[in-house]
Amino acid sequence: MSLKGRELRSTVEGDRLILTLEEVDIGDPADDEIVVRVEAAPINPSDIGLLLGPADVASLERLDNDRPGLSFRIREARLASVAGRAGQSMAVGNEGAGTVVATGSAVSSLMGKRVGMIGGAMYADYRRIRAADVIPLPEDASAVDGAAMFVNPLTALGFVETARREGHKAIVHTAAASNLGQMLQKICIADGIPLINIVRSEEQAAILKAIGATWVLNSKDADFAARLADAIEQTGATIAFDAIGGGSLGSEIMQAMERASVRGMAEYSRYGSTVFKQLYIYGALDTSPTVLNRLAFGFQWGVAGWLLFPFMQKAGPEVAARMRERVVRELKTTFASNYTRTVGLAEALEPDVLRAYERKATGEKFLIDPSRG
Amino acid sequence: MSLKGRELRSTVEGDRLILTLEEVDIGDPADDEIVVRVEAAPINPSDIGLLLGPADVASLERLDNDRPGLSFRIREARLASVAGRAGQSMAVGNEGAGTVVATGSAVSSLMGKRVGMIGGAMYADYRRIRAADVIPLPEDASAVDGAAMFVNPLTALGFVETARREGHKAIVHTAAASNLGQMLQKICIADGIPLINIVRSEEQAAILKAIGATWVLNSKDADFAARLADAIEQTGATIAFDAIGGGSLGSEIMQAMERASVRGMAEYSRYGSTVFKQLYIYGALDTSPTVLNRLAFGFQWGVAGWLLFPFMQKAGPEVAARMRERVVRELKTTFASNYTRTVGLAEALEPDVLRAYERKATGEKFLIDPSRG
């Protein structure tokens, strides 16, 4: 007789997006599976992408039945992009942590253990999952400590790994005061890699300076472009990771890289410098188009999407294992996440709460604890 | 006692761009060098980039002295981008062909031979050059046949080589009716690689159909987007080479690739398809910014500049040799260029002539023959 529990679901129905809590059967674990009681699951920007993606939050309405639930109008421009998920009730929540409450026969040693896990459907009372997809937490780590041990830590480590593999010696990062950005800064300090942090407020700059950042630039400053060019020239940065995506900030970064490279050239070339500049777009804080003023940075450049899982696959199991081990080792230092608010599962569908985490304000970070109701 | 001859030079002086013919000493060939009398040199878009790049052609004025020469105002928006060449008298003309009229001691067997060559400064009466940088032409090939045996042929072969190395099975090409585009189509037919040609007029479409193209799409057609998506779905194209660069055509191509890939997916993913889509920008027919509506094509994509010489270096000497051999073998078939007008060196600086080749109209192609004066 298997457990029942609630799961948060997002469904596109015609031109509406519907959020509900569904009562589901957890099902008995297979031999290599466990059932985890979810005690902590972070709300990452990528979760909000699936949860609300195309919805116009201002159009929020409560469902008019007994279940907790919300309904939104989908912005017309985004309708085509979500045609693929129409009618599919999608479970949400990339990662989380909790306590093992049932096990398959081959993995019974995990019973009662606290584990971190990744694989979706974490905004739920229980998650049945393959034992291979969880990591047992160290004795002194709480579920909160392990809730976000995959996406941000592995992404930050993945950036450094990518930069090294591709031969870059310094990194530029945008929206740099995020939890992810703070982890990246701590890694770069430990590994001796210069990191240029781009933020949008003095408050964000202060967060990074407090953890020892050397290079912090505020893109709202009047002399931002000049300071960026200087920082790039002094560090030799030729790779950037951009969480924003829309607009021309990525282009401005590559232009500054090009300017720094051209200063070192003996001879003019109409094709620009011979130094390769790479911009990776890993987020979509700005959903408007990316604008590349490419004539300002020659022909030696690349722009690409960057996603954690394709990167991990390309990097291979040894690199992945090394990265995971580092996360466990530094779980409460480098990879500590700060949460400003913890909410229950039903509470996550309260209009005021939803509007608060949907803003994705830097410094604010929400955690879901289903045991709170 | 060395030869003297004329060289076409482009110089940025303040906010003016100056074109002149300079009388220069050719200099005696070193042991491994030869002197070639230039008999044919094509005017490629990339040559026009160096010749006129930032100039406002409408502002053309004749120099007020005895030498043939022209002066142009540099467009203000482009001034910063040419600061690096200020004051440098730059020789023009990427490639050409002619007859060897002097040789160094180690390469005397080349005396009197007809050769094709690359290395700049070809808009000149004579070119002193390392013997290693020329290719002797087959007996039946004229200087006109060998004038453009490097840039377009190697670029077209480089596209196919790039597509193969990166695992793509069909190619999209823009501005596809160019001499380069025609070569690419012939190669793709010979090698059995589906090629989707994008052109901007029915006249251009006819050029490609005449050489056997299967897929020719006119971007001015009302149903262009739908036809592009169909062609991409039927061929499985996941790589595009774009000569235009500015605007959103590249983005539309990647969107069509994404749409075709998503149709084959069993499950919706908010990160888009797992199929990697690559856009290479190799030209700048439109100098406006590149606009990427990246949310329409997920995270599995890359956009990059593509340049022949960095590609050849990366590909290595064996691949380069194989490519060159194929060019020589197919010089009068696959790699034949069509010229609509041949002009002398002084004539290339006549205002009407200059305006004509500066237009870069498809189907029009100019050749310089310095022996015509």
Side-chain angles (χ1 to χ4, degrees):
Chain A
M1 225 189 58
S2 79
L3 287 163
K4 281 180 185 293
R6 298 165 302 161
E7 253 184 33
L8 202 162
R9 297 294 187 88
S10 173
T11 312
V12 169
E13 291 178 6
D15 62 350
R16 309 289 301 176
L17 182 134
I18 313 287
L19 299 182
T20 51
L21 281 183
E22 306 284 338
E23 190 79 13
V24 296
D25 269 321
I26 306 305
D28 293 319
D31 288 356
D32 63 344
E33 287 184 335
I34 56 177
V35 175
V36 180
R37 184 179 62 228
V38 181
E39 292 156 356
I43 304 182
N44 288 319
S46 56
D47 295 311
I48 297 175
L50 181 60
L51 191 74
L52 289 171
D56 176 2
V57 173
S59 72
L60 180 153
E61 287 173 24
R62 285 180 191 270
L63 290 181
D64 51 1
N65 57 26
D66 300 338
R67 287 182 314 174
L70 300 172
S71 166
F72 305 82
R73 198 172 46 77
I74 296 175
R75 274 169 289 181
E76 208 165 317
R78 300 292 304 284
L79 270 173
S81 71
V82 293
R85 54 176 286 196
Q88 296 179 46
S89 169
M90 308 201 75
V92 189
N94 270 320
E95 60 184 340
T99 303
V100 180
V101 295
T103 65
S105 56
V107 289
S108 56
S109 64
L110 283 171
M111 190 66 196
K113 288 263 175 18
R114 205 173 274 139
V115 297
M117 52 191 173
I118 187 158
M122 298 298 169
Y123 297 168
D125 288 315
Y126 298 98
R127 176 67 157 88
R128 181 162 55 85
I129 190 166
R130 289 194 319 145
D133 292 334
V134 311
I135 296 182
L137 298 183
E139 278 303 311
D140 64 342
S142 67
V144 175
D145 292 330
M149 69 188 291
F150 289 89
V151 179
N152 280 342
L154 294 177
T155 299
L157 286 170
F159 288 175
V160 172
E161 197 74 30
T162 299
R164 279 212 192 94
R165 281 166 174 258
E166 298 180 4
H168 303 278
K169 61 182 187 183
I171 298 171
V172 179
H173 188 219
T174 71
S178 63
N179 264 333
L180 167 60
Q182 295 173 47
M183 291 177 192
L184 181 61
Q185 180 58 77
K186 290 178 196 168
I187 296 165
C188 284
I189 289 172
D191 293 9
I193 298 165
L195 175 68
I196 300 170
N197 296 284
I198 299 177
V199 298
R200 282 177 289 189
S201 72
E202 287 311 306
E203 198 187 341
Q204 293 169 351
I207 293 173
L208 287 160
K209 283 177 188 158
I211 59 171
T214 305
W215 303 98
V216 187
L217 306 178
N218 183 345
S219 60
K220 304 265 192 219
D221 284 349
D223 60 350
F224 168 67
R227 292 186 60 205
L228 179 62
D230 284 349
I232 285 172
E233 194 168 7
Q234 287 179 53
T235 57
T238 46
I239 188 169
F241 293 92
D242 178 30
I244 298 168
S248 62
L249 179 60
S251 184
E252 286 162 37
I253 293 168
M254 290 210 286
Q255 190 171 347
M257 289 174 178
E258 176 69 3
R259 219 176 293 146
S261 308
V262 164
R263 275 182 211 158
M265 283 170 72
E267 211 178 311
Y268 171 80
S269 163
R270 67 191 174 287
Y271 299 116
S273 80
T274 55
V275 173
F276 192 81
K277 297 156 290 290
Q278 178 70 48
L279 171 70
Y280 282 113
I281 298 177
Y282 73 93
L285 293 180
D286 178 346
T287 56
S288 73
T290 309
V291 176
L292 303 175
N293 295 299
R294 71 201 180 286
L295 294 191
F297 45 84
F299 275 85
Q300 292 280 24
W301 57 272
V303 181
W306 195 99
L307 269 189
L308 179 58
F309 294 106
F311 164 76
M312 296 287 274
Q313 265 185 326
K314 218 165 39 181
E318 273 174 54
V319 173
R322 170 161 55 74
M323 288 166 63
R324 275 163 210 258
E325 282 159 23
R326 182 164 178 182
V327 174
V328 172
R329 213 162 52 233
E330 302 175 23
L331 191 58
K332 299 182 77 163
T333 52
T334 312
F335 302 110
S337 284
N338 302 310
Y339 301 98
T340 48
R341 190 159 168 195
T342 303
V343 299
L345 204 45
E347 217 178 332
L349 294 190
E350 285 302 316
D352 288 350
V353 174
L354 182 140
R355 284 187 203 104
Y357 60 72
E358 193 273 336
R359 273 201 309 271
K360 298 177 203 164
T362 304
E364 271 184 35
K365 183 92 182 177
F366 280 66
L367 189 73
I368 293 180
D369 175 359
S371 72
R372 295 199 178 198
Chain B
M1 224 189 56
S2 80
L3 286 163
K4 281 179 185 295
R6 299 165 302 161
E7 254 185 33
L8 201 163
R9 296 294 187 89
S10 172
T11 313
V12 169
E13 292 178 6
D15 63 348
R16 310 288 301 176
L17 183 135
I18 313 287
L19 298 182
T20 51
L21 281 182
E22 306 284 337
E23 189 81 11
V24 295
D25 267 323
I26 307 304
D28 292 319
D31 287 357
D32 62 344
E33 287 184 333
I34 56 177
V35 174
V36 180
R37 183 179 64 228
V38 181
E39 292 156 357
I43 303 182
N44 288 320
S46 56
D47 295 311
I48 297 174
L50 181 60
L51 191 74
L52 289 171
D56 176 3
V57 173
S59 71
L60 179 154
E61 287 173 22
R62 284 180 192 272
L63 289 182
D64 51 0
N65 57 25
D66 299 339
R67 289 181 314 174
L70 300 171
S71 166
F72 305 83
R73 197 171 48 76
I74 296 176
R75 275 168 289 180
E76 207 165 315
R78 299 293 305 282
L79 270 174
S81 73
V82 293
R85 54 175 286 196
Q88 296 179 47
S89 170
M90 309 201 73
V92 189
N94 270 320
E95 61 184 339
T99 303
V100 180
V101 296
T103 65
S105 56
V107 290
S108 56
S109 64
L110 283 171
M111 190 66 196
K113 289 263 175 20
R114 204 173 277 137
V115 297
M117 53 192 169
I118 188 158
M122 298 297 170
Y123 297 167
D125 288 315
Y126 297 98
R127 176 68 158 88
R128 179 161 57 84
I129 191 167
R130 288 194 319 144
D133 292 334
V134 311
I135 297 181
L137 299 183
E139 277 304 313
D140 63 343
S142 67
V144 175
D145 292 330
M149 70 187 292
F150 289 88
V151 178
N152 281 342
L154 294 177
T155 298
L157 287 170
F159 289 174
V160 173
E161 197 74 30
T162 299
R164 279 211 194 96
R165 280 165 175 257
E166 298 179 4
H168 303 277
K169 62 182 189 183
I171 298 172
V172 179
H173 188 218
T174 71
S178 63
N179 264 334
L180 166 60
Q182 294 173 48
M183 291 177 191
L184 180 62
Q185 180 59 75
K186 290 179 195 166
I187 296 165
C188 284
I189 290 172
D191 293 9
I193 298 165
L195 175 68
I196 300 170
N197 297 284
I198 299 178
V199 298
R200 283 177 289 190
S201 73
E202 286 312 305
E203 197 187 342
Q204 293 168 351
I207 294 173
L208 287 161
K209 283 178 186 154
I211 58 171
T214 305
W215 303 98
V216 188
L217 306 178
N218 183 344
S219 60
K220 305 262 192 223
D221 283 350
D223 60 350
F224 169 68
R227 292 186 59 206
L228 179 62
D230 284 349
I232 285 173
E233 193 168 6
Q234 288 180 52
T235 58
T238 46
I239 188 169
F241 294 91
D242 177 30
I244 297 167
S248 62
L249 179 59
S251 184
E252 286 162 36
I253 293 168
M254 289 209 287
Q255 190 171 348
M257 290 174 178
E258 176 70 2
R259 219 176 293 147
S261 308
V262 164
R263 275 182 211 160
M265 283 169 73
E267 211 177 309
Y268 171 81
S269 163
R270 67 191 175 286
Y271 300 116
S273 81
T274 55
V275 174
F276 192 82
K277 300 156 287 292
Q278 178 70 48
L279 170 69
Y280 283 113
I281 298 177
Y282 73 93
L285 293 179
D286 179 345
T287 57
S288 72
T290 309
V291 176
L292 303 175
N293 295 299
R294 71 200 180 288
L295 293 192
F297 45 83
F299 276 85
Q300 291 280 26
W301 57 272
V303 181
W306 196 98
L307 268 189
L308 179 58
F309 294 105
F311 164 75
M312 296 287 275
Q313 265 185 325
K314 216 163 42 179
E318 272 174 52
V319 174
R322 171 161 55 74
M323 288 166 63
R324 275 164 211 259
E325 281 158 23
R326 182 164 178 181
V327 175
V328 172
R329 212 161 55 232
E330 301 175 24
L331 191 59
K332 299 182 77 161
T333 52
T334 311
F335 301 110
S337 284
N338 302 309
Y339 300 98
T340 47
R341 189 159 169 195
T342 303
V343 299
L345 203 46
E347 217 178 333
L349 294 191
E350 285 301 318
D352 287 351
V353 174
L354 182 139
R355 283 189 205 104
Y357 59 72
E358 193 273 336
R359 271 200 310 270
K360 300 175 201 166
T362 304
E364 271 184 35
K365 182 94 181 177
F366 281 66
L367 189 73
I368 293 180
D369 175 359
S371 71
R372 296 200 178 195

